[in-house]
Amino acid sequence: MSTFAFIKETKTRWLTRVIWLVTACFAIYFFILDFPFRLETYSSVCGDEKICLETGQLNLEEALQLSQLGLSLDAFAGFKVFLEIVKVLVYFSVSSLLLFRKEQPWFNLYVSLVFLSLGIGLSYNFLADHPTQFIMYHFISNFGATYLVLFYLLPDGKFVPRWTVAIALFWIMVGVFSVYFKGSVMDVENWPIWLGAFFWISFHVILIFSQIYRYRKRSDAIIRQQMKWYVYSIIMYVIALLLLNFVGPLSISLKMATEFVYALSSILIPLSIGFAIFKYRLWDINIIIHRTVLYGILSILVVLFYSVSVSVLSLYIVEEDRMISSLITAGIIAFCFQPVKVKLQSFVNRLVYGDRDNPLFILTQLNSILTAASSMEKVLPLVVTTLAKTLKIPYVAIRLIEQETSYIAASFGKPSEVDREIPLFYQGNRLGSLLLSSRDSHEPFRPSDMRLLDGLAQQVGIVAQSILLHKDLQRSRSQLVLAREEERRRLRRDLHDGLGPSLASIKMKLDVAESFIEAKPESTAKIIHETGNQLKKMIEEIRTLVYSLRPPVLDELGLVAAIREMCNHYSQSEINFSVVSIPEPLPALPAAAEIAVYRIAQEAITNVVRHSSANECSITIDAENENLHVTIVDNGIGISDETFKKGIGFHSMKERAEELGGTAIIENLPDGGLKVFAKIPIQ
């Protein structure tokens, strides 16, 4: 920031503070001037119901009820004035704090002046009693009259959408003309009733629309949390106002109770707006909403039950014993309170947090998904959808790790900031992660949420393992089909290009020899000799084809002897081979397992001879109940990672084992050398 901009900003902040200080002094002065009138008003009884609502006075019936409680009108006046003093203190405190906020000084000043005006709440005839205060009275009261415009600006001081500026200006203009230019076209008093009602309703509908639009289209997580604060306070204020107007007149006790609730709701408005503007998150608004809904419903049920029960019991109990009906009702309420609270707690928890308190239900849902899913491809999308909806989480995704590559296998909701990443494990192997974003209110996950999600992650890990195994199975099947087709193509090519022409040639030569057998016996003998040599080559080719399908040595000698025979071919090398069988001899083995172990051993021994620079190599074959193990260990130089990645033979060994559902591990030994271990199922 440049020096000029800094000086300008400092001057602006001090100017706004001076304006607020002058206005606050006048507001306090006006409140003190109005104080005697307030006491006098609340200490008297009014005769007109409409005036009572405006002045807050008691009517004659309420005054009589008050005296029956042993209280005087002066006590009621003290009660009312005490609430107003608390209200003034809260409004003024929040108003003053806003002036210390560095951002948007003019917006802060406007909100502060609105709070000053609403806080003092000057009586309706203040100007008539103090006409000399005309200028400052209108200056202060006019800010309070624009309180609805304030909600077009909250919480960041911007009109959203921008065209609502025109609506706010029109509202202010109508208010100015109605107060200062009475009788003009813009004076609401001269409008038809339907037009005034239409204007009032339209303004509030647009106000509600602007808040919804801001919340859904132009807000981030923090602004949404801020908006929840003041929207919550407005809802509580409206509820308190309805209670004051409809429940309060029923009795003086309810009148004073609703007056107290109304005062609390009035105080809640500046506090919530202050939190919203300052971006404070001292308390979680969702917790407050949760508790309000819970105890609000509980209180309503208690009051309704009490009223109905007392009314019904009073029909059967004489007037003098009405206290008995109250005691009986109170006992029933005390007995039923805890069970009802537990039920309501569960209901409200589901309303706000989903089914986090009912993990059995979520597990049942997951089990139903696994049972009803028509294909494995649909399982993970259904899992994330179930977790998101049952726990009310806006974004849930499952990231899987497959062949050293991670990818999003399934997701629900719009991708947003991931607040939690829970690893998915199965038998110690990490399969991926469960990705979660906080609830739409930007509420962080609680320890109870994390315990539930950790437990669910274990179940999701099992599902992920099933998906990965299914994909591996599909991949293996595809590879087997491709390998089978490649083998068929090779055999077809060898038979068609090799044996086929050779047999045709032999047939032609035999036909020629048959025609020459009497006329040219020498030529016939030569042709038959050439044909014999050709047949000899064909026999070798057939043996090669047969050997590629299954080495004959396996049928002639058996697996262990065949591997020993293979090692004998390298007797000229300086490597000492040892072949051990456990047990000796081996039991009958499946043909596929024999071929796989033989080929793996063949590839490993070839690598030892060519690349290891070893002088010792041991081959151990161990047949257990369900698996056949082969271990080839040498004392050579081992293998580098780059060579392993490029080596076709190593991958061939792994593929041969995996084709039969086994595994192959190739690793360097700590003391030098290389170890090849393969496990092949034989059951």
Side-chain angles (χ1 to χ4, degrees):
M1 180 185 295
S2 64
T3 304
F4 176 77
F6 175 77
I7 295 174
K8 182 180 179 181
E9 181 179 332
T10 304
K11 287 182 177 180
T12 301
R13 285 204 301 268
W14 279 107
L15 177 60
T16 56
R17 291 173 184 176
V18 170
I19 294 173
W20 179 87
L21 183 60
V22 173
T23 308
C25 291
F26 273 97
I28 295 172
Y29 174 63
F30 289 168
F31 183 77
I32 295 173
L33 286 178
D34 198 39
F35 194 79
F37 179 79
R38 293 173 190 260
L39 281 175
E40 182 181 351
T41 301
Y42 297 145
S43 302
S44 60
V45 177
C46 73
D48 191 341
E49 291 291 336
K50 294 182 179 179
I51 297 178
C52 290
L53 290 175
E54 294 180 2
T55 62
Q57 293 174 276
L58 298 180
N59 56 33
L60 182 59
E61 182 181 354
E62 291 172 337
L64 291 174
Q65 293 178 5
L66 187 66
S67 63
Q68 291 175 358
L69 294 177
L71 299 174
S72 63
L73 286 173
D74 291 338
F76 176 76
F79 169 73
K80 288 280 292 183
V81 170
F82 170 76
L83 294 180
E84 291 187 359
I85 291 175
V86 173
K87 176 183 174 184
V88 169
L89 291 175
V90 173
Y91 272 83
F92 272 57
S93 299
V94 177
S95 176
S96 63
L97 287 174
L98 288 171
L99 269 297
F100 290 94
R101 183 172 176 260
K102 294 182 179 180
E103 301 87 357
Q104 300 175 297
W106 292 111
F107 172 65
N108 298 333
L109 176 63
Y110 170 65
V111 179
S112 299
L113 295 179
V114 171
F115 284 171
L116 287 179
S117 179
L118 295 177
I120 59 174
L122 295 176
S123 57
Y124 65 95
N125 63 342
F126 175 83
L127 193 59
D129 295 337
H130 307 281
T132 58
Q133 308 298 332
F134 176 85
I135 296 177
M136 286 305 300
Y137 169 81
H138 281 286
F139 178 78
I140 295 174
S141 60
N142 284 339
F143 280 101
T146 63
Y147 70 95
L148 286 177
V149 177
L150 174 62
F151 290 101
Y152 277 108
L153 293 169
L154 289 175
D156 54 4
K158 299 177 182 178
F159 285 95
V160 178
R162 294 297 300 272
W163 53 263
T164 54
V165 176
I167 304 298
L169 290 176
F170 183 73
W171 174 270
I172 294 173
M173 185 173 62
V174 169
V176 170
F177 274 82
S178 299
V179 174
Y180 300 107
F181 301 95
K182 291 186 178 296
S184 64
V185 177
M186 296 297 292
D187 183 4
V188 179
E189 297 294 332
N190 292 334
W191 292 4
I193 296 177
W194 65 268
L195 182 59
F198 174 77
F199 173 71
W200 188 88
I201 294 172
S202 299
F203 184 83
H204 285 77
V205 169
I206 295 173
L207 178 60
I208 295 171
F209 165 77
S210 69
Q211 295 298 305
I212 296 174
Y213 180 83
R214 183 194 296 268
Y215 186 88
R216 301 192 58 160
K217 302 294 185 180
R218 299 293 182 87
S219 300
D220 56 18
I222 294 178
I223 291 180
R224 290 184 178 185
Q225 187 78 341
Q226 294 171 302
M227 292 180 67
K228 279 194 173 185
W229 270 105
Y230 64 78
V231 169
Y232 170 76
S233 67
I234 294 170
I235 293 173
M236 297 305 299
Y237 176 80
V238 172
I239 294 173
L241 186 62
L242 293 175
L243 291 174
L244 179 65
N245 290 329
F246 295 100
V247 178
L250 298 179
S251 69
I252 187 60
S253 300
L254 292 175
K255 175 82 170 180
M256 297 183 70
T258 53
E259 287 277 5
F260 182 75
V261 173
Y262 177 72
L264 287 180
S265 66
S266 301
I267 292 171
L268 184 60
I269 290 178
L271 291 175
S272 63
I273 293 176
F275 284 144
I277 293 176
F278 278 106
K279 300 181 182 179
Y280 282 177
R281 296 179 61 196
L282 301 181
W283 295 291
D284 188 352
I285 183 63
N286 274 1
I287 297 177
I288 298 175
I289 294 174
H290 176 271
R291 295 293 183 264
T292 303
V293 173
L294 172 62
Y295 290 105
I297 296 175
L298 199 59
S299 300
I300 292 172
L301 290 177
V302 169
V303 171
L304 289 176
F305 181 78
Y306 182 83
S307 303
V308 173
S309 299
V310 170
S311 301
V312 172
L313 290 174
S314 297
L315 297 176
Y316 303 97
I317 299 176
V318 296
E319 187 72 20
E320 292 77 7
D321 295 331
R322 183 168 293 183
M323 181 61 69
I324 297 177
S325 63
S326 299
L327 292 174
I328 293 174
T329 304
I332 296 174
I333 291 174
F335 180 77
C336 300
F337 181 83
Q338 186 60 28
V340 173
K341 179 181 178 295
V342 171
K343 293 292 184 182
L344 278 176
Q345 180 85 56
S346 177
F347 168 74
V348 176
N349 283 350
R350 287 198 304 273
L351 188 66
V352 178
Y353 301 116
D355 292 292
R356 74 172 189 183
D357 293 334
N358 191 1
L360 180 60
F361 172 77
I362 301 175
L363 292 176
T364 303
Q365 291 288 96
L366 292 177
N367 182 60
S368 301
I369 289 172
L370 297 177
T371 304
S374 57
S375 64
M376 293 298 289
E377 290 76 11
K378 297 180 179 180
V379 171
L380 288 183
L382 290 174
V383 168
V384 296
T385 301
T386 301
L387 291 179
K389 290 184 176 180
T390 54
L391 295 175
K392 292 195 174 182
I393 300 175
Y395 178 70
V396 179
I398 294 177
R399 176 189 291 145
L400 295 182
I401 301 174
E402 190 174 359
Q403 295 182 341
E404 299 182 355
T405 302
S406 65
Y407 63 95
I408 300 296
S411 64
F412 178 87
K414 296 181 180 180
S416 58
E417 181 181 356
V418 175
D419 299 296
R420 291 287 178 178
E421 181 174 351
I422 304 175
L424 302 178
F425 289 97
Y426 183 78
Q427 293 184 349
N429 297 322
R430 180 162 183 175
L431 308 176
S433 303
L434 180 63
L435 307 178
L436 307 160
S437 64
S438 296
R439 293 186 175 91
D440 203 30
S441 61
H442 204 63
E443 175 201 359
F445 289 108
R446 306 177 183 284
S448 58
D449 293 331
M450 293 309 304
R451 285 193 296 270
L452 173 60
L453 290 171
D454 288 338
L456 292 175
Q458 297 179 9
Q459 307 303 318
V460 176
I462 298 174
V463 176
Q465 173 68 5
S466 302
I467 298 295
L468 292 176
L469 287 177
H470 176 70
K471 288 188 174 183
D472 287 342
L473 179 60
Q474 286 184 323
R475 193 180 301 108
S476 299
R477 287 176 176 174
S478 299
Q479 292 175 350
L480 286 174
V481 171
L482 290 174
R484 183 184 64 191
E485 293 303 320
E486 287 295 329
E487 190 68 15
R488 286 179 175 179
R489 186 181 291 111
R490 185 183 68 81
L491 289 173
R492 178 181 177 277
R493 183 177 61 249
D494 290 344
L495 292 174
H496 181 272
D497 298 341
L499 292 178
S502 297
L503 290 173
S505 174
I506 290 173
K507 174 67 169 60
M508 293 175 62
K509 288 181 178 181
L510 290 176
D511 290 340
V512 172
E514 184 181 7
S515 62
F516 286 174
I517 193 168
E518 294 180 357
K520 300 179 179 180
E522 294 179 357
S523 298
T524 302
K526 183 179 179 181
I527 292 173
I528 292 174
H529 178 73
E530 291 176 354
T531 303
N533 292 333
Q534 190 172 358
L535 283 174
K536 183 177 180 181
K537 292 180 179 179
M538 288 181 62
I539 292 171
E540 292 178 356
E541 290 181 10
I542 292 174
R543 285 177 177 173
T544 302
L545 287 174
V546 172
Y547 182 82
S548 64
L549 296 176
R550 177 177 172 84
V553 68
L554 290 176
D555 297 322
E556 297 170 0
L557 304 176
L559 177 61
V560 177
I563 293 176
R564 285 178 178 149
E565 182 67 20
M566 185 194 312
C567 293
N568 291 334
H569 286 301
Y570 298 106
S571 58
Q572 301 299 324
S573 66
E574 297 179 355
I575 302 174
N576 180 26
F577 290 95
S578 63
V579 181
V580 178
S581 172
I582 304 173
E584 181 79 36
L586 291 173
L589 301 173
E594 277 188 325
I595 294 175
V597 170
Y598 182 81
R599 296 300 187 192
I600 291 172
Q602 183 182 41
E603 187 67 42
I605 292 170
T606 302
N607 288 332
V608 170
V609 173
R610 292 180 179 178
H611 309 295
S612 70
S613 300
N615 54 24
E616 294 286 341
C617 180
S618 63
I619 300 99
T620 304
I621 302 171
D622 183 5
E624 295 181 347
N625 294 330
E626 298 181 353
N627 297 297
L628 181 64
H629 296 168
V630 57
T631 307
I632 300 99
V633 178
D634 65 68
N635 62 349
I637 60 176
I639 184 174
S640 65
D641 293 337
E642 184 178 355
T643 304
F644 176 76
K645 291 179 180 179
K646 293 181 178 180
I648 298 176
F650 296 118
H651 294 290
S652 175
M653 286 188 278
K654 292 175 71 70
E655 288 176 358
R656 287 186 182 277
E658 290 172 356
E659 283 177 357
L660 300 179
T663 57
I665 300 173
I666 299 112
E667 59 183 359
N668 290 316
L669 296 175
D671 298 332
L674 188 71
K675 175 182 177 181
V676 176
F677 172 78
K679 180 177 72 173
I680 307 296
I682 56 177
Q683 290 293 335

